[in-house]
Amino acid sequence: MPSPIRVGFIGLSATGGWANASHYPYLPQSPHYKITALCNSSVKSAQESIKAHGLDPSAKAYDSAESLAADPDVDLVVVCVKVDQHYRLAKPALLAGKDVFVEWPLGRNLQEADELCQLAKSKAGRHVVGLEESLAPSTKYIKRIIDEGKIGKVLSSSLWGVGMHSGWGPMDARAANTADVEFGGNLLTIGTMHTLETITSVLGELKSYTPLLANQRPRITVKNDDGTTSTRDKTSHDQVMLQGTFESGAVLSFHFRGGGPFKDTPGIIWRIYGEKGELSIEGDGYALSMGLPLTVKLHDFESEKVQTLDVPVLVEEWKDRKMPPMAHMMGLVYKAFYEEKGYVDFEGAVTRHKMIVDIYARAEK
Amino acid sequence: MPSPIRVGFIGLSATGGWANASHYPYLPQSPHYKITALCNSSVKSAQESIKAHGLDPSAKAYDSAESLAADPDVDLVVVCVKVDQHYRLAKPALLAGKDVFVEWPLGRNLQEADELCQLAKSKAGRHVVGLEESLAPSTKYIKRIIDEGKIGKVLSSSLWGVGMHSGWGPMDARAANTADVEFGGNLLTIGTMHTLETITSVLGELKSYTPLLANQRPRITVKNDDGTTSTRDKTSHDQVMLQGTFESGAVLSFHFRGGGPFKDTPGIIWRIYGEKGELSIEGDGYALSMGLPLTVKLHDFESEKVQTLDVPVLVEEWKDRKMPPMAHMMGLVYKAFYEEKGYVDFEGAVTRHKMIVDIYARAEK
């Protein structure tokens, strides 16, 4: 790889948002990346962001994905915006043969994801999506415990979790587009798929499964930015269940629902039951994806002892860099991309999009 | 009803066992029942039990179900023995037109249960099975909380539990027949069906569901009574999963596995999630069936308060009778039978047996 990889970033605002919290912090701290251009909704907004982040003043400001794609000083285009804009903003970069990093989900639906993937494969560029779970220190640690035989052969696993919106009370206006199933970002495509990515990273892929979806709050209240509230229809699902069998023969029970956890209890409870021991993993609903603290306990059946394991949640060598946990996670994707191994590319993303299509088609509703 | 109802009891030993712990204690304390005959494996054993329990010395001792069935001083024959003996021992009483109480499961399989049910319906006698969950104070209490609107409309429920044998370590010889799926008593037919009886008593019947079964420990070690161990095949399932939709539209995720709980955690965690609040119910794996202590908490979303509810686990007016919790539960069935309302009869049992057949037929394995 050339180093530094010159990044054209789409979606980095001057003030906040997901890109700032997750994708951005790693980049200025890495010798392997350099942001050379930003593309925002306006050139002015891009210029403000360049200034706010103290980027090299030579960094270029764009207001269109096409202009950014045409910049010869950009090797990698990062698309970190709302899901429904991924396709439109990634396509010009792919057509220009750039490397492209698109946040997960790759597209609003399989068609968009598949078209981006075909395009990526027909051009010279490399491609990567923001499915970071297999690289997380906690995921690797839990997998190692199992691989070392600490609980014997895995027999079953059960995961119960909560996350995303669509619970009690009004939804923030900025999250309200997740209420529209056509938007492409919701409890199934984001919360569930990230969590399943963790589960399968540890326990292997599912050989078969049966899904169930429900939209139990089809009408919701939205809290608008001006303080007023309004009501609207919700078409995305707020209950996702799945039971199935892993390639290994172990069985899985999975239930994820929208909204908050039962007060003062973990947002996620994950049990991995083996022939001679069991793991209990508890944390915030997003902990598994975002490197947030987890409690991992091992119950050894023969000794009848329970041991609290010292699971790493952050990247050890980056600890003094003061990046938020999710920036550690995303940094691992950038690192893997630089090293050209271990990241999920658009083909991997399409496989997950196919699973989403399959779940929509086969789920009891 | 004539009072007292004269009981001929099959399966009450002098020393211990399930009948002593559950069915027996209520009977001598009730003015509505009187044990007039016992039937054991031998007349001598029956006589010993009459003596050990201090029953009326006029109580008759039998060693065959046919002789007991012919006794004109018996109104109700109770069959409380191993599942595989239910059919053989209940049939003579039904043919004689007696009332009959058979512990759950009614038979080893649907055929046996159905034949007993047809027989019961063609004769004058009444019939009852040991599915006591709908009568339990805790079940009624939880149902009332929901009916009063404390959590609003129920949207979903998730139950994770452990129970029965087939976990780590050797199985006791006396439980080893549950390893044989043909025996008819196992994690699906006993643990799961009792728990589903509680769930449906509170949340209504399932409109549809998808089951999954697995036998993850197909070879087990048995600890024989003489202290030796031996190994044998196990054909019954140690993992039962089910996801589905209630008539109400709420959805259910259910996972029950054999063996013990993760150490120092509840053997059962049951969540009932509503539009405006959630119930968290925790206890021993059998708590829901046996009137054992439960912790029931209510999380009210609007006030963000959690309240620990004072759920009754025993029958208030029987508290000074010093009966074990399961005897309270079974006493409620006897009480309901005397009052001729609220108990599950053989037709109800056949409905559950049909569900078992359906689960065996449709489950991914």
Side-chain angles (χ1 to χ4, degrees), chain B residues 104 129-140 190-191 193-202 286-291 329-330 332-333 342 344:
Chain B
W104 173 259
V129 290
L131 282 173
E132 62 277 10
E133 284 73 14
S134 67
L135 299 164
S138 55
T139 308
K140 287 181 163 180
I190 300 179
M193 296 312 286
H194 273 297
T195 307
L196 282 175
E197 187 74 10
T198 305
I199 293 173
T200 56
S201 295
V202 170
Y286 277 111
L288 294 174
S289 304
M290 293 196 190
M329 294 302 103
M330 213 47 81
L332 286 165
V333 181
V344 180

PDB file of all heavy atoms in Angstrom, chain B residues 104 129-140 190-191 193-202 286-291 329-330 332-333 342 344:
ATOM      1  N   TRP B 104     -49.234 -35.049  35.077  1.00  0.00           N
ATOM      2  CA  TRP B 104     -48.781 -34.685  33.744  1.00  0.00           C
ATOM      3  C   TRP B 104     -47.394 -35.276  33.494  1.00  0.00           C
ATOM      4  O   TRP B 104     -46.604 -35.242  34.429  1.00  0.00           O
ATOM      5  CB  TRP B 104     -48.722 -33.158  33.596  1.00  0.00           C
ATOM      6  CG  TRP B 104     -48.106 -32.744  32.297  1.00  0.00           C
ATOM      7  CD1 TRP B 104     -46.819 -32.314  32.098  1.00  0.00           C
ATOM      8  CD2 TRP B 104     -48.723 -32.781  31.011  1.00  0.00           C
ATOM      9  NE1 TRP B 104     -46.600 -32.067  30.779  1.00  0.00           N
ATOM     10  CE2 TRP B 104     -47.758 -32.352  30.075  1.00  0.00           C
ATOM     11  CE3 TRP B 104     -49.988 -33.147  30.549  1.00  0.00           C
ATOM     12  CZ2 TRP B 104     -48.013 -32.277  28.707  1.00  0.00           C
ATOM     13  CZ3 TRP B 104     -50.239 -33.060  29.204  1.00  0.00           C
ATOM     14  CH2 TRP B 104     -49.258 -32.634  28.290  1.00  0.00           C
ATOM     15  N   VAL B 129     -55.704 -33.543  35.003  1.00  0.00           N
ATOM     16  CA  VAL B 129     -54.253 -33.797  34.954  1.00  0.00           C
ATOM     17  C   VAL B 129     -53.515 -32.754  35.782  1.00  0.00           C
ATOM     18  O   VAL B 129     -54.043 -31.681  36.062  1.00  0.00           O
ATOM     19  CB  VAL B 129     -53.671 -33.771  33.520  1.00  0.00           C
ATOM     20  CG1 VAL B 129     -54.119 -34.973  32.708  1.00  0.00           C
ATOM     21  CG2 VAL B 129     -53.970 -32.463  32.833  1.00  0.00           C
ATOM     22  N   GLY B 130     -52.271 -33.078  36.091  1.00  0.00           N
ATOM     23  CA  GLY B 130     -51.465 -32.223  36.957  1.00  0.00           C
ATOM     24  C   GLY B 130     -50.793 -31.069  36.220  1.00  0.00           C
ATOM     25  O   GLY B 130     -49.576 -30.930  36.286  1.00  0.00           O
ATOM     26  N   LEU B 131     -51.585 -30.294  35.546  1.00  0.00           N
ATOM     27  CA  LEU B 131     -51.075 -29.035  34.978  1.00  0.00           C
ATOM     28  C   LEU B 131     -51.694 -27.920  35.818  1.00  0.00           C
ATOM     29  O   LEU B 131     -52.841 -27.523  35.606  1.00  0.00           O
ATOM     30  CB  LEU B 131     -51.482 -28.893  33.505  1.00  0.00           C
ATOM     31  CG  LEU B 131     -50.666 -29.699  32.492  1.00  0.00           C
ATOM     32  CD1 LEU B 131     -51.278 -29.613  31.115  1.00  0.00           C
ATOM     33  CD2 LEU B 131     -49.207 -29.235  32.452  1.00  0.00           C
ATOM     34  N   GLU B 132     -50.929 -27.453  36.774  1.00  0.00           N
ATOM     35  CA  GLU B 132     -51.469 -26.627  37.840  1.00  0.00           C
ATOM     36  C   GLU B 132     -51.209 -25.142  37.661  1.00  0.00           C
ATOM     37  O   GLU B 132     -51.660 -24.307  38.436  1.00  0.00           O
ATOM     38  CB  GLU B 132     -50.876 -27.084  39.185  1.00  0.00           C
ATOM     39  CG  GLU B 132     -49.354 -26.962  39.313  1.00  0.00           C
ATOM     40  CD  GLU B 132     -48.577 -28.128  38.711  1.00  0.00           C
ATOM     41  OE1 GLU B 132     -49.185 -28.964  38.017  1.00  0.00           O
ATOM     42  OE2 GLU B 132     -47.359 -28.172  38.923  1.00  0.00           O
ATOM     43  N   GLU B 133     -50.466 -24.795  36.594  1.00  0.00           N
ATOM     44  CA  GLU B 133     -49.927 -23.436  36.506  1.00  0.00           C
ATOM     45  C   GLU B 133     -50.984 -22.336  36.482  1.00  0.00           C
ATOM     46  O   GLU B 133     -50.789 -21.265  37.046  1.00  0.00           O
ATOM     47  CB  GLU B 133     -49.018 -23.310  35.290  1.00  0.00           C
ATOM     48  CG  GLU B 133     -47.661 -23.958  35.466  1.00  0.00           C
ATOM     49  CD  GLU B 133     -47.692 -25.477  35.442  1.00  0.00           C
ATOM     50  OE1 GLU B 133     -48.717 -26.055  35.034  1.00  0.00           O
ATOM     51  OE2 GLU B 133     -46.699 -26.084  35.850  1.00  0.00           O
ATOM     52  N   SER B 134     -52.099 -22.580  35.827  1.00  0.00           N
ATOM     53  CA  SER B 134     -53.095 -21.505  35.716  1.00  0.00           C
ATOM     54  C   SER B 134     -53.722 -21.177  37.066  1.00  0.00           C
ATOM     55  O   SER B 134     -54.296 -20.111  37.248  1.00  0.00           O
ATOM     56  CB  SER B 134     -54.185 -21.894  34.708  1.00  0.00           C
ATOM     57  OG  SER B 134     -54.929 -22.977  35.214  1.00  0.00           O
ATOM     58  N   LEU B 135     -53.597 -22.106  38.009  1.00  0.00           N
ATOM     59  CA  LEU B 135     -54.199 -21.912  39.339  1.00  0.00           C
ATOM     60  C   LEU B 135     -53.221 -21.292  40.339  1.00  0.00           C
ATOM     61  O   LEU B 135     -53.626 -20.896  41.432  1.00  0.00           O
ATOM     62  CB  LEU B 135     -54.668 -23.264  39.876  1.00  0.00           C
ATOM     63  CG  LEU B 135     -55.732 -23.984  39.030  1.00  0.00           C
ATOM     64  CD1 LEU B 135     -55.834 -25.447  39.431  1.00  0.00           C
ATOM     65  CD2 LEU B 135     -57.081 -23.294  39.192  1.00  0.00           C
ATOM     66  N   ALA B 136     -51.949 -21.222  39.966  1.00  0.00           N
ATOM     67  CA  ALA B 136     -50.918 -20.774  40.910  1.00  0.00           C
ATOM     68  C   ALA B 136     -51.134 -19.312  41.306  1.00  0.00           C
ATOM     69  O   ALA B 136     -51.429 -18.470  40.458  1.00  0.00           O
ATOM     70  CB  ALA B 136     -49.537 -20.940  40.298  1.00  0.00           C
ATOM     71  N   PRO B 137     -50.972 -18.992  42.590  1.00  0.00           N
ATOM     72  CA  PRO B 137     -51.110 -17.588  43.022  1.00  0.00           C
ATOM     73  C   PRO B 137     -50.180 -16.650  42.251  1.00  0.00           C
ATOM     74  O   PRO B 137     -50.588 -15.542  41.895  1.00  0.00           O
ATOM     75  CB  PRO B 137     -50.731 -17.638  44.506  1.00  0.00           C
ATOM     76  CG  PRO B 137     -50.963 -19.035  44.926  1.00  0.00           C
ATOM     77  CD  PRO B 137     -50.702 -19.889  43.717  1.00  0.00           C
ATOM     78  N   SER B 138     -48.951 -17.097  41.980  1.00  0.00           N
ATOM     79  CA  SER B 138     -48.009 -16.225  41.269  1.00  0.00           C
ATOM     80  C   SER B 138     -48.481 -15.969  39.837  1.00  0.00           C
ATOM     81  O   SER B 138     -48.423 -14.840  39.351  1.00  0.00           O
ATOM     82  CB  SER B 138     -46.609 -16.839  41.263  1.00  0.00           C
ATOM     83  OG  SER B 138     -46.642 -18.147  40.732  1.00  0.00           O
ATOM     84  N   THR B 139     -48.962 -17.007  39.172  1.00  0.00           N
ATOM     85  CA  THR B 139     -49.463 -16.848  37.803  1.00  0.00           C
ATOM     86  C   THR B 139     -50.629 -15.868  37.769  1.00  0.00           C
ATOM     87  O   THR B 139     -50.686 -14.956  36.937  1.00  0.00           O
ATOM     88  CB  THR B 139     -49.930 -18.211  37.243  1.00  0.00           C
ATOM     89  OG1 THR B 139     -48.905 -19.174  37.410  1.00  0.00           O
ATOM     90  CG2 THR B 139     -50.299 -18.098  35.774  1.00  0.00           C
ATOM     91  N   LYS B 140     -51.570 -16.083  38.689  1.00  0.00           N
ATOM     92  CA  LYS B 140     -52.757 -15.213  38.731  1.00  0.00           C
ATOM     93  C   LYS B 140     -52.372 -13.767  39.031  1.00  0.00           C
ATOM     94  O   LYS B 140     -52.963 -12.828  38.496  1.00  0.00           O
ATOM     95  CB  LYS B 140     -53.736 -15.716  39.797  1.00  0.00           C
ATOM     96  CG  LYS B 140     -54.454 -16.987  39.396  1.00  0.00           C
ATOM     97  CD  LYS B 140     -55.421 -17.383  40.496  1.00  0.00           C
ATOM     98  CE  LYS B 140     -56.439 -18.386  39.975  1.00  0.00           C
ATOM     99  NZ  LYS B 140     -57.387 -18.771  41.039  1.00  0.00           N
ATOM    100  N   ILE B 190     -42.068 -32.254  29.994  1.00  0.00           N
ATOM    101  CA  ILE B 190     -42.303 -31.820  31.385  1.00  0.00           C
ATOM    102  C   ILE B 190     -41.888 -30.360  31.580  1.00  0.00           C
ATOM    103  O   ILE B 190     -42.734 -29.483  31.729  1.00  0.00           O
ATOM    104  CB  ILE B 190     -41.597 -32.756  32.397  1.00  0.00           C
ATOM    105  CG1 ILE B 190     -42.138 -34.191  32.230  1.00  0.00           C
ATOM    106  CG2 ILE B 190     -41.847 -32.265  33.828  1.00  0.00           C
ATOM    107  CD1 ILE B 190     -41.512 -35.216  33.165  1.00  0.00           C
ATOM    108  N   GLY B 191     -40.574 -30.101  31.539  1.00  0.00           N
ATOM    109  CA  GLY B 191     -40.087 -28.736  31.831  1.00  0.00           C
ATOM    110  C   GLY B 191     -40.697 -27.681  30.926  1.00  0.00           C
ATOM    111  O   GLY B 191     -41.215 -26.652  31.392  1.00  0.00           O
ATOM    112  N   MET B 193     -43.374 -27.916  28.807  1.00  0.00           N
ATOM    113  CA  MET B 193     -44.830 -27.811  28.764  1.00  0.00           C
ATOM    114  C   MET B 193     -45.385 -27.167  30.035  1.00  0.00           C
ATOM    115  O   MET B 193     -46.355 -26.414  29.982  1.00  0.00           O
ATOM    116  CB  MET B 193     -45.459 -29.183  28.508  1.00  0.00           C
ATOM    117  CG  MET B 193     -45.102 -29.778  27.143  1.00  0.00           C
ATOM    118  SD  MET B 193     -45.300 -28.648  25.717  1.00  0.00           S
ATOM    119  CE  MET B 193     -47.078 -28.614  25.572  1.00  0.00           C
ATOM    120  N   HIS B 194     -44.775 -27.453  31.184  1.00  0.00           N
ATOM    121  CA  HIS B 194     -45.207 -26.769  32.413  1.00  0.00           C
ATOM    122  C   HIS B 194     -44.945 -25.262  32.294  1.00  0.00           C
ATOM    123  O   HIS B 194     -45.781 -24.443  32.677  1.00  0.00           O
ATOM    124  CB  HIS B 194     -44.460 -27.317  33.636  1.00  0.00           C
ATOM    125  CG  HIS B 194     -45.106 -28.516  34.255  1.00  0.00           C
ATOM    126  ND1 HIS B 194     -46.360 -28.493  34.827  1.00  0.00           N
ATOM    127  CD2 HIS B 194     -44.676 -29.795  34.387  1.00  0.00           C
ATOM    128  CE1 HIS B 194     -46.665 -29.690  35.291  1.00  0.00           C
ATOM    129  NE2 HIS B 194     -45.662 -30.514  35.038  1.00  0.00           N
ATOM    130  N   THR B 195     -43.775 -24.913  31.765  1.00  0.00           N
ATOM    131  CA  THR B 195     -43.437 -23.495  31.662  1.00  0.00           C
ATOM    132  C   THR B 195     -44.335 -22.795  30.649  1.00  0.00           C
ATOM    133  O   THR B 195     -44.794 -21.671  30.880  1.00  0.00           O
ATOM    134  CB  THR B 195     -41.942 -23.338  31.293  1.00  0.00           C
ATOM    135  OG1 THR B 195     -41.169 -24.098  32.223  1.00  0.00           O
ATOM    136  CG2 THR B 195     -41.514 -21.889  31.341  1.00  0.00           C
ATOM    137  N   LEU B 196     -44.598 -23.464  29.531  1.00  0.00           N
ATOM    138  CA  LEU B 196     -45.511 -22.876  28.542  1.00  0.00           C
ATOM    139  C   LEU B 196     -46.927 -22.744  29.104  1.00  0.00           C
ATOM    140  O   LEU B 196     -47.662 -21.824  28.738  1.00  0.00           O
ATOM    141  CB  LEU B 196     -45.541 -23.724  27.264  1.00  0.00           C
ATOM    142  CG  LEU B 196     -44.351 -23.560  26.324  1.00  0.00           C
ATOM    143  CD1 LEU B 196     -44.453 -24.541  25.159  1.00  0.00           C
ATOM    144  CD2 LEU B 196     -44.249 -22.127  25.781  1.00  0.00           C
ATOM    145  N   GLU B 197     -47.291 -23.660  29.992  1.00  0.00           N
ATOM    146  CA  GLU B 197     -48.614 -23.560  30.631  1.00  0.00           C
ATOM    147  C   GLU B 197     -48.699 -22.265  31.457  1.00  0.00           C
ATOM    148  O   GLU B 197     -49.719 -21.573  31.444  1.00  0.00           O
ATOM    149  CB  GLU B 197     -48.848 -24.799  31.505  1.00  0.00           C
ATOM    150  CG  GLU B 197     -50.232 -24.911  32.096  1.00  0.00           C
ATOM    151  CD  GLU B 197     -51.308 -25.318  31.103  1.00  0.00           C
ATOM    152  OE1 GLU B 197     -50.989 -25.704  29.963  1.00  0.00           O
ATOM    153  OE2 GLU B 197     -52.495 -25.226  31.479  1.00  0.00           O
ATOM    154  N   THR B 198     -47.598 -21.939  32.141  1.00  0.00           N
ATOM    155  CA  THR B 198     -47.559 -20.668  32.881  1.00  0.00           C
ATOM    156  C   THR B 198     -47.630 -19.484  31.919  1.00  0.00           C
ATOM    157  O   THR B 198     -48.416 -18.554  32.109  1.00  0.00           O
ATOM    158  CB  THR B 198     -46.247 -20.538  33.695  1.00  0.00           C
ATOM    159  OG1 THR B 198     -46.121 -21.669  34.543  1.00  0.00           O
ATOM    160  CG2 THR B 198     -46.255 -19.272  34.540  1.00  0.00           C
ATOM    161  N   ILE B 199     -46.797 -19.539  30.904  1.00  0.00           N
ATOM    162  CA  ILE B 199     -46.738 -18.422  29.959  1.00  0.00           C
ATOM    163  C   ILE B 199     -48.104 -18.185  29.321  1.00  0.00           C
ATOM    164  O   ILE B 199     -48.584 -17.046  29.250  1.00  0.00           O
ATOM    165  CB  ILE B 199     -45.675 -18.703  28.862  1.00  0.00           C
ATOM    166  CG1 ILE B 199     -44.270 -18.715  29.474  1.00  0.00           C
ATOM    167  CG2 ILE B 199     -45.761 -17.666  27.740  1.00  0.00           C
ATOM    168  CD1 ILE B 199     -43.180 -19.154  28.493  1.00  0.00           C
ATOM    169  N   THR B 200     -48.734 -19.253  28.853  1.00  0.00           N
ATOM    170  CA  THR B 200     -50.020 -19.075  28.167  1.00  0.00           C
ATOM    171  C   THR B 200     -51.137 -18.727  29.155  1.00  0.00           C
ATOM    172  O   THR B 200     -52.113 -18.076  28.774  1.00  0.00           O
ATOM    173  CB  THR B 200     -50.401 -20.321  27.335  1.00  0.00           C
ATOM    174  OG1 THR B 200     -50.418 -21.462  28.181  1.00  0.00           O
ATOM    175  CG2 THR B 200     -49.404 -20.532  26.206  1.00  0.00           C
ATOM    176  N   SER B 201     -51.000 -19.150  30.402  1.00  0.00           N
ATOM    177  CA  SER B 201     -51.995 -18.737  31.404  1.00  0.00           C
ATOM    178  C   SER B 201     -51.969 -17.223  31.582  1.00  0.00           C
ATOM    179  O   SER B 201     -52.991 -16.599  31.840  1.00  0.00           O
ATOM    180  CB  SER B 201     -51.717 -19.398  32.758  1.00  0.00           C
ATOM    181  OG  SER B 201     -51.885 -20.789  32.682  1.00  0.00           O
ATOM    182  N   VAL B 202     -50.788 -16.640  31.450  1.00  0.00           N
ATOM    183  CA  VAL B 202     -50.642 -15.196  31.637  1.00  0.00           C
ATOM    184  C   VAL B 202     -50.889 -14.439  30.335  1.00  0.00           C
ATOM    185  O   VAL B 202     -51.581 -13.419  30.316  1.00  0.00           O
ATOM    186  CB  VAL B 202     -49.229 -14.867  32.191  1.00  0.00           C
ATOM    187  CG1 VAL B 202     -48.972 -13.372  32.170  1.00  0.00           C
ATOM    188  CG2 VAL B 202     -49.075 -15.413  33.602  1.00  0.00           C
ATOM    189  N   TYR B 286     -37.788 -24.180  38.177  1.00  0.00           N
ATOM    190  CA  TYR B 286     -39.100 -24.783  38.388  1.00  0.00           C
ATOM    191  C   TYR B 286     -40.065 -23.877  39.124  1.00  0.00           C
ATOM    192  O   TYR B 286     -41.208 -24.255  39.387  1.00  0.00           O
ATOM    193  CB  TYR B 286     -38.958 -26.093  39.166  1.00  0.00           C
ATOM    194  CG  TYR B 286     -38.618 -27.204  38.240  1.00  0.00           C
ATOM    195  CD1 TYR B 286     -37.375 -27.802  38.270  1.00  0.00           C
ATOM    196  CD2 TYR B 286     -39.560 -27.636  37.297  1.00  0.00           C
ATOM    197  CE1 TYR B 286     -37.069 -28.809  37.387  1.00  0.00           C
ATOM    198  CE2 TYR B 286     -39.249 -28.639  36.417  1.00  0.00           C
ATOM    199  CZ  TYR B 286     -38.011 -29.222  36.461  1.00  0.00           C
ATOM    200  OH  TYR B 286     -37.711 -30.217  35.586  1.00  0.00           O
ATOM    201  N   ALA B 287     -39.593 -22.685  39.454  1.00  0.00           N
ATOM    202  CA  ALA B 287     -40.392 -21.795  40.291  1.00  0.00           C
ATOM    203  C   ALA B 287     -41.773 -21.561  39.700  1.00  0.00           C
ATOM    204  O   ALA B 287     -42.780 -21.532  40.416  1.00  0.00           O
ATOM    205  CB  ALA B 287     -39.671 -20.466  40.467  1.00  0.00           C
ATOM    206  N   LEU B 288     -41.817 -21.406  38.385  1.00  0.00           N
ATOM    207  CA  LEU B 288     -43.086 -21.055  37.762  1.00  0.00           C
ATOM    208  C   LEU B 288     -44.118 -22.167  37.921  1.00  0.00           C
ATOM    209  O   LEU B 288     -45.314 -21.909  37.941  1.00  0.00           O
ATOM    210  CB  LEU B 288     -42.876 -20.745  36.273  1.00  0.00           C
ATOM    211  CG  LEU B 288     -42.042 -19.500  35.952  1.00  0.00           C
ATOM    212  CD1 LEU B 288     -41.800 -19.405  34.456  1.00  0.00           C
ATOM    213  CD2 LEU B 288     -42.715 -18.245  36.462  1.00  0.00           C
ATOM    214  N   SER B 289     -43.666 -23.401  38.024  1.00  0.00           N
ATOM    215  CA  SER B 289     -44.600 -24.520  38.129  1.00  0.00           C
ATOM    216  C   SER B 289     -44.890 -24.911  39.571  1.00  0.00           C
ATOM    217  O   SER B 289     -45.912 -25.499  39.868  1.00  0.00           O
ATOM    218  CB  SER B 289     -44.033 -25.758  37.430  1.00  0.00           C
ATOM    219  OG  SER B 289     -43.725 -25.484  36.103  1.00  0.00           O
ATOM    220  N   MET B 290     -43.951 -24.636  40.432  1.00  0.00           N
ATOM    221  CA  MET B 290     -44.019 -25.257  41.747  1.00  0.00           C
ATOM    222  C   MET B 290     -44.247 -24.297  42.886  1.00  0.00           C
ATOM    223  O   MET B 290     -44.066 -24.656  44.045  1.00  0.00           O
ATOM    224  CB  MET B 290     -42.721 -26.025  41.997  1.00  0.00           C
ATOM    225  CG  MET B 290     -42.572 -27.205  41.072  1.00  0.00           C
ATOM    226  SD  MET B 290     -41.311 -28.292  41.703  1.00  0.00           S
ATOM    227  CE  MET B 290     -41.124 -29.409  40.326  1.00  0.00           C
ATOM    228  N   GLY B 291     -44.604 -23.072  42.578  1.00  0.00           N
ATOM    229  CA  GLY B 291     -44.861 -22.144  43.663  1.00  0.00           C
ATOM    230  C   GLY B 291     -43.631 -21.815  44.471  1.00  0.00           C
ATOM    231  O   GLY B 291     -43.717 -21.519  45.665  1.00  0.00           O
ATOM    232  N   MET B 329     -49.515 -26.077  45.210  1.00  0.00           N
ATOM    233  CA  MET B 329     -49.916 -26.052  43.794  1.00  0.00           C
ATOM    234  C   MET B 329     -50.860 -27.201  43.498  1.00  0.00           C
ATOM    235  O   MET B 329     -51.910 -27.027  42.880  1.00  0.00           O
ATOM    236  CB  MET B 329     -48.698 -26.171  42.874  1.00  0.00           C
ATOM    237  CG  MET B 329     -47.737 -25.008  42.922  1.00  0.00           C
ATOM    238  SD  MET B 329     -48.498 -23.436  42.507  1.00  0.00           S
ATOM    239  CE  MET B 329     -48.646 -22.749  44.153  1.00  0.00           C
ATOM    240  N   MET B 330     -50.488 -28.396  43.955  1.00  0.00           N
ATOM    241  CA  MET B 330     -51.312 -29.551  43.636  1.00  0.00           C
ATOM    242  C   MET B 330     -52.631 -29.490  44.408  1.00  0.00           C
ATOM    243  O   MET B 330     -53.674 -29.908  43.904  1.00  0.00           O
ATOM    244  CB  MET B 330     -50.529 -30.823  43.949  1.00  0.00           C
ATOM    245  CG  MET B 330     -50.822 -31.965  43.037  1.00  0.00           C
ATOM    246  SD  MET B 330     -50.807 -31.540  41.276  1.00  0.00           S
ATOM    247  CE  MET B 330     -49.047 -31.585  40.943  1.00  0.00           C
ATOM    248  N   LEU B 332     -54.299 -26.918  44.918  1.00  0.00           N
ATOM    249  CA  LEU B 332     -55.203 -26.055  44.143  1.00  0.00           C
ATOM    250  C   LEU B 332     -55.912 -26.839  43.042  1.00  0.00           C
ATOM    251  O   LEU B 332     -57.061 -26.545  42.691  1.00  0.00           O
ATOM    252  CB  LEU B 332     -54.417 -24.882  43.544  1.00  0.00           C
ATOM    253  CG  LEU B 332     -54.030 -23.819  44.571  1.00  0.00           C
ATOM    254  CD1 LEU B 332     -52.962 -22.883  44.007  1.00  0.00           C
ATOM    255  CD2 LEU B 332     -55.259 -23.021  45.016  1.00  0.00           C
ATOM    256  N   VAL B 333     -55.199 -27.829  42.502  1.00  0.00           N
ATOM    257  CA  VAL B 333     -55.848 -28.666  41.491  1.00  0.00           C
ATOM    258  C   VAL B 333     -56.944 -29.509  42.143  1.00  0.00           C
ATOM    259  O   VAL B 333     -58.070 -29.608  41.634  1.00  0.00           O
ATOM    260  CB  VAL B 333     -54.827 -29.577  40.770  1.00  0.00           C
ATOM    261  CG1 VAL B 333     -55.536 -30.421  39.714  1.00  0.00           C
ATOM    262  CG2 VAL B 333     -53.720 -28.752  40.149  1.00  0.00           C
ATOM    263  N   GLY B 342     -62.027 -24.869  36.649  1.00  0.00           N
ATOM    264  CA  GLY B 342     -60.699 -24.258  36.593  1.00  0.00           C
ATOM    265  C   GLY B 342     -59.540 -25.220  36.433  1.00  0.00           C
ATOM    266  O   GLY B 342     -58.402 -24.783  36.278  1.00  0.00           O
ATOM    267  N   VAL B 344     -57.399 -28.506  34.531  1.00  0.00           N
ATOM    268  CA  VAL B 344     -57.177 -29.002  33.165  1.00  0.00           C
ATOM    269  C   VAL B 344     -57.593 -30.471  33.107  1.00  0.00           C
ATOM    270  O   VAL B 344     -57.090 -31.287  33.887  1.00  0.00           O
ATOM    271  CB  VAL B 344     -55.687 -28.849  32.756  1.00  0.00           C
ATOM    272  CG1 VAL B 344     -55.475 -29.367  31.324  1.00  0.00           C
ATOM    273  CG2 VAL B 344     -55.260 -27.390  32.860  1.00  0.00           C
TER     274      VAL B 344
END
